Amino acid sequence: MKKIILTGDRPTGPLHIGHYVGSLKRRVELQNSGEFDEIYIMIADAQALTDNMKNPEKIRENIVEVALDYLACGLSPDKSVLFIQSQIPELCEMTFYYLNLVTVARLELNPTVKSEIQMRQFEKNIPAGFLTYPVSQAADITAFDATLVPVGEDQSPMIEQTREIAKRFNHIYGDTLVEPKILLPDRNACMRLPGLDGKAKMSKSLGNCIYLSDSSDDIKKKVMSMYTDPTHLRVEDEGHIEGNTVFTYLDAFCEDRYFEEFLPEYANLDELKAHYQRGGLGDVKIKKFLNNILQDILNPIRERRIELAKDIPSVYEILKKGSITAREKASQTLSRMRKAMGINYFY
Ligand code: ATP
Ligand code: MG
């Protein structure tokens, strides 16, 4: 069986450092490993419209932002197919069939969708498309015969739902669809990076983000105003690590080499944490360290992004070509499905 990756992002805003550690960095590594036969990276504009129906301009504008983030991080059109979801109408047809393979009760159990509904204050006015977006996501994944889906932890219920739909389809109509596996980040802190306020997950829709495109000054300002430990009032006080967002970010981004470069008094993160816990280490010092690390990671990404943004038509050209390739693949899968379902009347 071919090894195939499908993953993507909603164009609801430019990408942030949660995306970077949750999925983007891993995608680039997998792409460059040469171990995969096909890689599809989707900008999920149709999914983004399920909770932004009245704001299509926002989605339209952010397509190019997300594409620039992809290219700046090292996704390459020579190795990966970068495409736009709405340009693949086959996905809608698949979704329509899959909707018969799930119950409303099952959809209502999805914990990610549940918390998103709460966050968006839909209450009784949940758009039907929003409740069913995990089904459309199952179409996105199975249309490309994806074997592996590298994503953050909030996507676990979606991959589970996809596997259930694929299994059900195969059981009823015969072996047709590939059941994908999820690939979660290897560090705990990267599974669901919290927002700058330390409360909810960092999310474009909440605006609690450090964006990959933020200026060096903005990153510094955001880091210096980050939430730490409310009981750590004076430098000599004992500090807490749990729930301290600066340490969560250090867990997500720190490498030992950064100590040598920016904070040589400590050998590693464990030593820094121990000092903070016993007291005598101020918040400003750890924030400056985190700022240095983020600048080191984000400066080259931002510089590449600025270069790429000088030629926007080329970015659209990449997405156009990718969408043509993606459509060919999805249409082959759909033919296979129609045949299995016996709705290929004229062939
Ligand atoms: P929205 O608020 O519009 O849903 P988002 O910030 O949640 O936007 P998505 O486009 O929904 O971003 O997610 C794209 C990918 O990034 C998914 O694989 C998701 O798991 C991952 N991801 C998003 N936010 C985080 C986060 N804070 N930590 C780790 N991974 C994340
Ligand atoms: Mg999301």
Side-chain angles (χ1 to χ4, degrees):
M1 190 163 66
K2 277 187 172 177
K3 289 173 82 176
I4 301 177
I5 288 177
L6 175 288
T7 186
D9 308 271
R10 294 153 38 98
T12 46
L15 299 185
H16 54 64
I17 58 173
H19 298 118
Y20 184 73
V21 289
S23 172
L24 202 43
K25 186 170 169 237
R26 182 56 97 43
R27 283 180 214 174
V28 176
E29 286 163 7
L30 295 173
Q31 169 195 270
N32 295 339
S33 74
E35 281 177 26
F36 289 84
D37 299 295
E38 294 164 33
I39 301 176
Y40 297 92
I41 310 290
M42 181 182 82
I43 302 184
D45 61 335
Q47 186 185 116
L49 285 169
T50 62
D51 55 330
N52 290 281
M53 207 24 145
K54 292 185 190 147
N55 207 354
E57 264 317 299
K58 170 173 138 188
I59 306 307
R60 188 183 169 88
E61 282 163 13
N62 279 306
I63 284 186
V64 72
E65 299 298 326
V66 171
L68 284 169
D69 288 327
Y70 285 169
L71 297 168
C73 284
L75 287 175
S76 154
D78 298 331
K79 298 177 186 165
S80 299
V81 179
L82 309 180
F83 72 100
I84 305 178
Q85 184 187 22
S86 63
Q87 303 309 296
I88 323 296
E90 285 75 7
L91 299 175
C92 300
E93 188 174 332
M94 290 181 189
T95 304
F96 197 58
Y97 303 136
Y98 290 176
L99 280 168
N100 301 321
L101 305 178
V102 290
T103 63
V104 174
R106 172 67 183 89
L107 288 170
E108 284 171 344
L109 283 179
N110 186 313
T112 298
V113 176
K114 255 197 212 167
S115 78
E116 287 173 339
I117 286 172
Q118 229 171 18
M119 226 162 65
R120 287 160 178 74
Q121 297 175 321
F122 284 143
E123 292 175 15
K124 291 273 169 232
N125 302 312
I126 309 164
F130 191 81
L131 185 68
T132 55
Y133 88 70
V135 181
S136 121
Q137 204 167 319
D140 304 333
I141 296 170
T142 52
F144 298 93
D145 295 329
T147 50
L148 197 69
V149 189
V151 282
E153 196 185 33
D154 63 319
Q155 294 300 308
S156 290
M158 314 307 174
I159 313 308
E160 201 43 54
Q161 178 75 82
T162 302
R163 292 174 59 86
E164 278 175 37
I165 289 174
K167 214 177 270 174
R168 191 109 207 271
F169 189 101
N170 291 341
H171 178 72
I172 301 171
Y173 304 110
D175 214 11
T176 313
L177 302 175
V178 176
E179 277 180 48
K181 288 209 171 70
I182 190 168
L183 183 68
L184 291 169
D186 44 18
R187 294 189 193 190
N188 248 341
C190 303
M191 294 275 181
R192 185 186 294 257
L193 196 76
L196 288 165
D197 53 5
K199 291 192 186 101
K201 102 172 169 67
M202 183 174 284
S203 146
K204 295 180 232 103
S205 301
L206 292 175
N208 54 0
C209 310
I210 295 179
Y211 293 102
L212 299 179
S213 47
D214 273 349
S215 71
S216 178
D217 278 355
D218 282 344
I219 297 169
K220 190 166 179 195
K221 268 189 220 138
K222 287 181 182 179
V223 170
M224 295 318 280
S225 61
M226 265 173 77
Y227 176 86
T228 55
D229 169 11
T231 66
H232 189 243
L233 300 173
R234 288 163 306 172
V235 172
E236 18 350 321
D237 290 343
E238 291 177 8
H240 296 89
I241 306 290
E242 300 78 39
N244 184 325
T245 317
V246 176
F247 277 100
T248 309
Y249 284 18
L250 285 174
D251 279 331
F253 292 96
C254 193
E255 312 282 345
D256 284 352
R257 69 185 168 93
Y258 287 126
F259 281 96
E260 227 169 283
E261 210 172 332
F262 303 123
L263 206 56
E265 313 91 284
Y266 304 91
N268 55 42
L269 194 51
D270 288 339
E271 280 186 15
L272 188 76
K273 283 180 178 173
H275 192 184
Y276 191 78
Q277 282 169 313
R278 68 176 180 266
L281 176 57
D283 284 348
V284 171
K285 193 160 179 177
I286 53 165
K287 284 181 174 176
K288 279 190 176 158
F289 181 49
L290 175 62
N291 175 59
N292 281 330
I293 294 174
L294 291 180
Q295 300 284 354
D296 187 74
I297 296 170
L298 298 178
N299 285 348
I301 295 176
R302 184 186 328 102
E303 278 162 26
R304 275 197 300 274
R305 204 180 188 283
I306 290 169
E307 276 311 301
L308 290 157
K310 290 180 182 161
D311 186 5
I312 297 295
S314 295
V315 179
Y316 277 105
E317 198 49 43
I318 289 170
L319 295 175
K320 187 174 164 193
K321 277 200 188 128
S323 298
I324 292 169
T325 308
R327 190 166 181 195
E328 278 164 16
K329 173 83 181 188
S331 129
Q332 285 167 15
T333 310
L334 181 60
S335 299
R336 218 166 67 218
M337 278 175 61
R338 283 165 155 253
K339 190 167 169 223
M341 294 170 74
I343 54 172
N344 57 338
Y345 309 114
F346 307 120
Y347 300 97

